[in-house]
């Protein structure tokens, strides 16, 4: 590539690319096929359980969660209230069982590993019926989920927004549901940690940062093919947009990125998603539109699964 955009020579990232290790990035879409529980439903249930009478309206989830955590009991530390909220959310998510469509996608064998924003263990339960969340954890971390994944047979499952059971128990900060990412404070701290994995104040390049870093999910966005499915890519997910934007800048600078990232959505949502599509395409993310009758998300997932056969 012509390096007219910069005077520095960037270390190529080509050697880090592994085309045989494809990742599926899974959002909450499949969980809503049979027994749809939206984020609004979950937060309404949380409010009911803690007896807080507030409405979300158009408030971002992260800030609405902070509002709830302040309103539960103003005589307690906010951290105590946050723990209570996350324990309720974790207990609800732990009840979820995988939709058969998820198992169908997994059983194609197309994907070696998985990334998910979900707190539940539907992916793991599709891979192993009697999955024990206490087992198979890599590098336990109580709150942040950069380095922790669950190993299920030969598969890695990264819960990048936290999970129901992080392997810790009992303490105010080290409790099982502490890694659940929902509040504004948690998001802000997480973004800073992600930033430090990609950019160094000393000017160290990404290749050297990768060489010296522990295994983490952030670097996968620069080294693996990733399909994003059942995830709306809300504009409040600033950490993910930061990664995609930084990746696009590196590509423009000739950093030798070979991996492909695809956002997979139903064709019938194209018009409503046009703003995201425009930005993602500018950032070098490919868009895969899958045909299905309007509103038929089950058919959308089934039709996508058929593309993997």
């Amino acid at each position: 590539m012509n390096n007219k955009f910069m005077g520095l020579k960037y270390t190529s990232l080509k050697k880090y690319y592994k085309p045989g290790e494809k990742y599926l990035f899974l959002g909450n879409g499949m969980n809503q096929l049979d027994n749809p529980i939206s984020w609004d439903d979950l937060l309404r249930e949380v409010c009911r359980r803690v007896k807080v009478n507030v409405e979300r309206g158009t408030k971002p989830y992260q800030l609405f969660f902070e509002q709830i955590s302040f309103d539960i009991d103003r005589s307690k530390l906010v951290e105590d209230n946050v723990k209570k909220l996350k324990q309720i959310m974790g207990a609800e998510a732990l009840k979820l069982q995988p939709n058969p469509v998820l198992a169908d996608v997994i059983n194609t064998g197309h994907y070696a590993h998985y990334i998910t924003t979900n707190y539940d263990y539907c992916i793991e339960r599709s891979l192993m019926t009697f999955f024990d969340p206490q087992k198979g954890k890599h590098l336990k971390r109580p709150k942040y989920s950069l380095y922790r994944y669950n190993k299920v047979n030969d598969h890695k499952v990264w819960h990048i927004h936290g999970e129901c059971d992080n392997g810790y128990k009992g303490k105010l900060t080290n409790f099982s549901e502490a890694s659940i990412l929902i509040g504004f404070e948690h998001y802000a701290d997480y973004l800073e940690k992600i930033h430090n994995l990609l950019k160094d104040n000393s000017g160290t390049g990404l290749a050297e940062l990768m060489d010296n870093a522990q295994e983490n999910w952030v670097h996968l966005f620069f080294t693996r093919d990733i399909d994003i499915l059942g995830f709306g890519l809300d504009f409040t997910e600033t950490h993910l947009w930061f990664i995609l934007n930084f990746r696009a800048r590196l590509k423009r600078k000739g950093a030798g990125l070979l991996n492909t990232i695809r956002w997979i959505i139903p064709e019938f949502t194209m018009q409503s998603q046009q703003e995201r599509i425009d930005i993602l395409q500018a950032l070098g993310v490919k868009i895969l539109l899958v045909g299905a009758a309007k509103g038929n998300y089950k058919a959308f997932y089934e039709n996508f699964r058929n593309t993997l056969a």
Side-chain angles (χ1 to χ4, degrees):
M1 176 178 176
N2 189 339
N3 282 343
K4 66 181 180 179
F5 296 104
M6 45 65 169
L8 297 175
K9 182 178 180 180
Y10 280 75
T11 301
S12 174
L13 301 175
K14 291 181 180 179
K15 68 178 182 179
Y16 301 97
Y17 176 55
K18 293 186 178 180
E21 290 189 11
K22 296 186 183 300
Y23 271 79
L24 176 65
F25 181 118
L26 195 69
N28 196 44
M30 287 192 200
N31 284 345
Q32 299 189 51
L33 288 178
D34 293 332
N35 299 297
I37 300 177
S38 67
W39 272 105
D40 280 338
D41 295 331
L42 179 57
L43 288 174
R44 273 194 291 270
E45 174 62 16
V46 168
C47 289
R48 186 191 68 80
R49 295 270 294 274
V50 298
K51 297 180 172 57
V52 172
N53 185 22
V54 293
E55 293 292 333
R56 186 178 80 88
T58 60
K59 303 166 191 168
Y61 291 115
Q62 297 92 331
L63 286 171
F64 183 53
F65 179 86
E66 297 291 349
Q67 179 185 357
I68 300 170
S69 67
F70 275 91
D71 285 348
I72 292 177
D73 187 339
R74 291 189 171 271
S75 68
K76 290 184 177 181
L77 292 173
V78 174
E79 289 75 13
D80 288 311
N81 293 339
V82 166
K83 179 177 180 179
K84 184 174 183 178
L85 290 173
K86 288 187 176 183
Q87 287 176 326
I88 294 172
M89 295 177 73
E92 290 300 311
L94 198 58
K95 298 174 184 176
L96 291 174
Q97 295 296 324
N99 189 284
V101 177
L102 173 58
D104 288 343
V105 171
I106 287 176
N107 288 336
T108 64
H110 185 78
Y111 299 103
H113 306 296
Y114 302 87
I115 298 170
T116 183
T117 54
N118 300 335
Y119 313 138
D120 59 71
Y121 296 111
C122 289
I123 295 175
E124 288 90 340
R125 287 168 176 166
S126 294
L127 294 166
M128 178 187 293
T129 304
F130 301 105
F131 171 74
D132 183 351
Q134 283 282 312
K135 297 179 180 179
K137 283 200 165 32
H138 176 70
L139 291 181
K140 289 183 181 180
R141 293 292 187 272
K143 185 174 182 181
Y144 301 104
S145 303
L146 294 169
Y147 308 105
R148 182 185 63 252
Y149 61 78
N150 292 323
K151 191 71 180 293
V152 186
N153 300 321
D154 294 326
H155 305 280
K156 298 174 183 177
V157 184
W158 298 82
H159 289 266
I160 69 172
H161 282 186
E163 57 181 305
C164 297
D165 190 342
N166 61 22
Y168 288 85
K169 293 189 181 297
K171 298 180 181 178
L172 178 59
T173 55
N174 295 350
F175 59 98
S176 299
E177 303 85 2
S179 67
I180 288 177
L181 180 68
I182 179 63
F184 185 77
E185 176 266 349
H186 200 163
Y187 262 83
D189 287 348
Y190 203 34
L191 177 56
E192 180 184 19
K193 293 179 183 299
I194 290 170
H195 179 279
N196 292 337
L197 282 171
L198 298 179
K199 299 177 72 174
D200 188 279
N201 290 333
S202 68
T204 302
L206 182 56
E208 187 174 345
L209 290 175
M210 284 184 179
D211 287 338
N212 295 315
Q214 298 180 65
E215 184 181 11
N216 62 83
W217 66 263
V218 177
H219 290 162
L220 296 173
F221 276 77
F222 301 81
T223 64
R224 303 293 188 274
D225 294 330
I226 299 175
D227 282 349
I228 302 173
L229 180 69
F231 183 63
L233 268 173
D234 191 281
F235 288 129
T236 62
E237 303 289 0
T238 51
H239 55 307
L240 295 172
W241 286 104
F242 168 72
I243 292 169
L244 294 174
N245 184 68
F246 185 72
R247 176 179 178 272
R249 286 174 177 252
L250 285 185
K251 289 191 74 172
R252 179 66 65 90
K253 293 173 180 177
L257 290 166
L258 299 179
N259 69 314
T260 297
I261 297 177
R262 301 193 301 175
W263 190 42
I264 298 148
I265 59 173
E267 190 171 16
F268 61 76
T269 66
M270 180 179 177
Q271 185 174 354
S272 63
Q273 297 287 9
Q274 194 59 54
E275 289 183 351
R276 285 180 179 79
I277 290 172
D278 291 344
I279 297 174
L280 288 168
Q281 287 181 327
L283 298 180
V285 175
K286 296 184 181 299
I287 309 299
L288 176 62
L289 301 173
V290 178
K294 186 174 181 180
N296 192 338
Y297 283 92
K298 183 176 182 181
F300 155 65
Y301 289 116
E302 290 174 343
N303 291 342
F304 170 69
R305 183 262 179 217
N306 291 337
T307 70
L308 305 176

